[in-house]
C-alpha cells in the first residue's frame, strides 16, 4: 500500500542539505567567504530545526521512533524486526552519524578563521587566532569524513534500488511510498508546531550568526 | 599492571614523538635577528642570517594575521572597541614599510621550508608594487582607524584585506599540496 512516510518538513530539510553541502564546498573553493559564512549559518538553522522536529514532529521524524538499541538493530539484521515505516535501525545509525558529523563540522566552522585573519566564523571572536586556525583545519578534515558518510548513504540508496528493488528516492520527494503489511501508519504532527519549530531554529541560528 | 602502565607510557611518548614532525631549529633571539637584518642590509648575510630573517618574517606575518583577526573581531560586533582596532592597526602599519627587507636573495624555496614563492625574485617589480600597495593600505587603515567613523573603518579594512590577498595570491604558496 502506498502511504505517507515522510512529512514535508523532513523532505525539505533533506533536499535543502543536498543543495547546501555542495554549494558550501564550492563557495569555500572559490573563496567566496561571505556567502560561505551566510550559508553556513543557514545550515546551523536547518540542523537546529531537525533537532526540534525530531522531538515534536511527525512520527517518522522523531528520533524516539527510529533510534533503536543494539538488540533491536541485531534483530533487524537477522530479519526478525517487526514491520515498520520510516528509518530502519541501520538507516537510523547512518542518519545519526551524518547529523553528528555535520553538526561537528558546522560547529568547527563557526569558530574557524583563515590564517590571514581576513575571514572568520561568527563565533571566532570568542577564541584566539591560533585556536581559530586549528578549528579551520579540523573543519576541513571533518568535511572529508562527511563526504565518506554521504558516499555510503548514496551507495546504500543505489543498493536498495538495484538489489532490493526498493525505491527510496521517490518517497523522499513525494512523501509517499510502499509501506510493509502490518506497519503502523505515519502520524503527522499538528500544523501549528511547524512555525514554532521554524521560529525557534531561526532565532537561534540568527543569534549564533550575529556572534552570540 | 606496572607492565601495562610502562607500555602505555611508551606508546604515548612514541605518539607524541611521531606527532612532532620536523623539529625546527631553535628560534633566533631578538639580537640575532637584528644582527641578521643588519648583515642583509650590508650585503654580508650568511645562511644563518638568511634563516633568521626567514624566521622573523614568518613571526611578523603571523602577528599581522593575529592583528587582522583582532580588528575583524571588533568590527564584526555591534559595539566595536576602537582602541583594540587602533592598536592592531598600528602593528600592521608598523610592518608595512619593512616587508621588502624580509626577502633577501637566498631566502626563497632554495633555502628550505618556506611559502615564499620563487616568483618574488623572478618578478621583483610586481612584488615591489604589491608590497608598497600593502604598505599604503596599512597606513591608510591606521589613519582611518583614528576616527570614529566605523563604516569608513570597515571599508578601509576591506581594502587592507584585499591588499594582503593581492600579494599572497601571487607570491605565497598554498599551505598543503
Amino acid at each position: 500500500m502506498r502511504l505517507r512516510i515522510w512529512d514535508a518538513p523532513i523532505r525539505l530539510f533533506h533536499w535543502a542539505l543536498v543543495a547546501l553541502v555542495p554549494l558550501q564546498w564550492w563557495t569555500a573553493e572559490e573563496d567566496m567567504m561571505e556567502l560561505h559564512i551566510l550559508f553556513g549559518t543557514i545550515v546551523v538553522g536547518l540542523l537546529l530545526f531537525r533537532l526540534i522536529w525530531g522531538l515534536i514532529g511527525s512520527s517518522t521524524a522523531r528520533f524516539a521512533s527510529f533510534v533503536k538499541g543494539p538488540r533491536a538493530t541485531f534483530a533487524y539484521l537477522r530479519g526478525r524486526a517487526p514491520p515498520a515505516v520510516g528509518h530502519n535501525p541501520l538507516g537510523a545509525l547512518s542518519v545519526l552519524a551524518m547529523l553528528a558529523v555535520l553538526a561537528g563540522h558546522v560547529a568547527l566552522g563557526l569558530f574557524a578563521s583563515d590564517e590571514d585573519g581576513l575571514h572568520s566564523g561568527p563565533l571566532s571572536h570568542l577564541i584566539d587566532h591560533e585556536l581559530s586556525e586549528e578549528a579551520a583545519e579540523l573543519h576541513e578534515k571533518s568535511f572529508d569524513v562527511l563526504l565518506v558518510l554521504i558516499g555510503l548513504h548514496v551507495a546504500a540508496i543505489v543498493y536498495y534500488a538495484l538489489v532490493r528493488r526498493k525505491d527510496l528516492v521517490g518517497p523522499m520527494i513525494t512523501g509517499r511510498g510502499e509501506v510493509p503489511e502490518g506497519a503502523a501508519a505515519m502520524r503527522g504532527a499538528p500544523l501549528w508546531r511547524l512555525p514554532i519549530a521554524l521560529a525557534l531554529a531561526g532565532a537561534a541560528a540568527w543569534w549564533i550568526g550575529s556572534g552570540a | 599492571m606496572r607492565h601495562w602502565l610502562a607500555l602505555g607510557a611508551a606508546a604515548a611518548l612514541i605518539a607524541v614523538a611521531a606527532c612532532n614532525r620536523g623539529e625546527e631549529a631553535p628560534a633566533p633571539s631578538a639580537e640575532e635577528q637584528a644582527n641578521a637584518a643588519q648583515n642583509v642590509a650590508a650585503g654580508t648575510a650568511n645562511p644563518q642570517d638568511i634563516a633568521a630573517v626567514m624566521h622573523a618574517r614568518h613571526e611578523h606575518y603571523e602577528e599581522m594575521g593575529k592583528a587582522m583577526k583582532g580588528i575583524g573581531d571588533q568590527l564584526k560586533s555591534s559595539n566595536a572597541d576602537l582602541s583594540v582596532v587602533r592598536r592592531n592597526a598600528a602593528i600592521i602599519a608598523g610592518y608595512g614599510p619593512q616587508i621588502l627587507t624580509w626577502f633577501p636573495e637566498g631566502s626563497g624555496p632554495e633555502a628550505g621550508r618556506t611559502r615564499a614563492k620563487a616568483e618574488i625574485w623572478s618578478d621583483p617589480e610586481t612584488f615591489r608594487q604589491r608590497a608598497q600597495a600593502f604598505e599604503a593600505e596599512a597606513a591608510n587603515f591606521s589613519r582611518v582607524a583614528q576616527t570614529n567613523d566605523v563604516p569608513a573603518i570597515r571599508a578601509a579594512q576591506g581594502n587592507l584585506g584585499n591588499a594582503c590577498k593581492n600579494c599572497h595570491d601571487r607570491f605565497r604558496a598554498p599551505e598543503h599540496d
Side-chain angles (χ1 to χ4, degrees):
Chain A
M1 279 192 57
R2 279 183 62 81
L3 293 174
R4 285 179 76 202
I5 304 180
W6 308 117
D7 68 3
I10 282 298
R11 287 179 275 137
L12 285 169
F13 164 78
H14 173 269
W15 294 112
L17 283 183
V18 171
L20 279 167
V21 169
L23 198 59
Q24 279 297 68
W25 170 82
W26 187 69
T27 52
E29 284 286 302
E30 297 294 305
D31 204 31
M32 302 157 89
M33 294 323 278
E34 281 96 5
L35 268 180
H36 187 82
I37 293 170
L38 173 66
F39 289 150
T41 313
I42 293 175
V43 175
V44 170
L46 284 172
L47 284 173
L48 288 171
F49 172 80
R50 180 66 186 95
L51 201 64
I52 297 170
W53 206 242
L55 298 171
I56 64 173
S58 58
S59 61
T60 51
R62 295 202 189 188
F63 299 122
S65 78
F66 62 81
V67 177
K68 304 283 186 211
R71 188 145 37 113
T73 307
F74 285 120
Y76 167 78
L77 288 170
R78 269 185 263 116
R80 289 214 179 83
V85 67
H87 291 304
N88 62 51
L90 274 191
L93 286 175
S94 77
V95 165
L96 289 180
M98 282 190 285
L99 285 177
V101 170
L102 182 60
H105 175 70
V106 168
L108 287 165
L110 290 172
F111 290 96
S113 169
D114 64 13
E115 58 180 333
D116 297 335
L118 294 180
H119 299 286
S120 47
L123 299 183
S124 64
H125 64 97
L126 296 170
I127 57 177
D128 71 33
H129 190 45
E130 268 122 56
L131 264 182
S132 259
E133 286 181 283
E134 277 189 44
E137 289 256 315
L138 289 172
H139 180 70
E140 274 188 64
K141 293 201 170 108
S142 58
F143 185 70
D144 291 333
V145 177
L146 185 65
L147 278 184
V148 169
L149 289 180
I150 294 175
L152 283 173
H153 173 62
V154 172
I157 306 289
V158 171
Y159 164 78
Y160 267 85
L162 298 180
V163 179
R164 302 271 284 263
R165 301 236 163 256
K166 191 168 176 196
D167 172 31
L168 293 176
V169 180
M172 191 45 85
I173 298 175
T174 66
R176 290 174 177 275
E178 283 302 318
V179 172
E181 280 289 328
M186 179 270 246
R187 288 177 322 279
L191 203 55
W192 57 263
R193 292 192 189 169
L194 184 57
I196 292 182
L198 287 171
L200 279 173
W206 183 86
W207 178 71
I208 290 172
S210 310
Chain B
M1 176 65 183
R2 260 173 291 158
H3 297 304
W4 287 116
L5 280 177
L7 237 107
L13 283 173
I14 291 172
V16 167
C19 286
N20 226 352
R21 26 190 165 81
E23 265 294 343
E24 289 181 22
S29 70
E31 199 189 315
E32 286 166 339
Q33 287 185 19
N35 280 339
Q38 265 181 8
N39 293 341
V40 162
T44 58
N46 60 29
Q48 271 102 314
D49 295 325
I50 298 287
V53 168
M54 289 169 76
H55 186 97
R57 84 177 168 220
H58 180 87
E59 301 277 293
H60 297 323
Y61 272 123
E62 289 214 343
E63 280 172 68
M64 281 195 273
K66 193 167 156 188
M68 281 301 279
K69 178 178 186 285
I71 292 166
D73 286 349
Q74 291 309 315
L75 295 180
K76 260 196 286 184
S77 89
S78 43
N79 55 334
D81 183 347
L82 289 183
S83 67
V84 174
V85 175
R86 288 167 190 145
R87 189 171 61 238
N88 285 317
I91 291 173
I92 299 173
Y95 284 134
Q98 297 179 23
I99 303 267
L100 287 173
T101 69
W102 295 345
F103 296 89
E105 278 291 338
S107 69
E110 67 276 14
R113 213 177 82 173
T114 179
R115 289 175 63 189
K117 292 171 77 168
E119 276 80 342
I120 294 174
W121 294 271
S122 64
D123 188 2
E125 240 340 279
T126 311
F127 184 68
R128 194 167 58 78
Q129 276 168 18
R130 304 219 172 155
Q132 285 172 339
F134 168 73
E135 180 185 341
E137 286 299 344
N140 180 59
F141 179 76
S142 198
R143 209 166 25 244
V144 176
Q146 304 309 314
T147 73
N148 289 325
D149 187 351
V150 175
I153 298 176
R154 287 211 178 95
Q157 178 206 20
N159 291 337
L160 179 57
N162 286 338
C164 304
K165 196 166 148 35
N166 207 16
C167 199
H168 291 163
D169 280 353
R170 187 169 158 77
F171 294 109
R172 183 180 69 179
E175 199 151 14
H176 328 276
D177 345 287

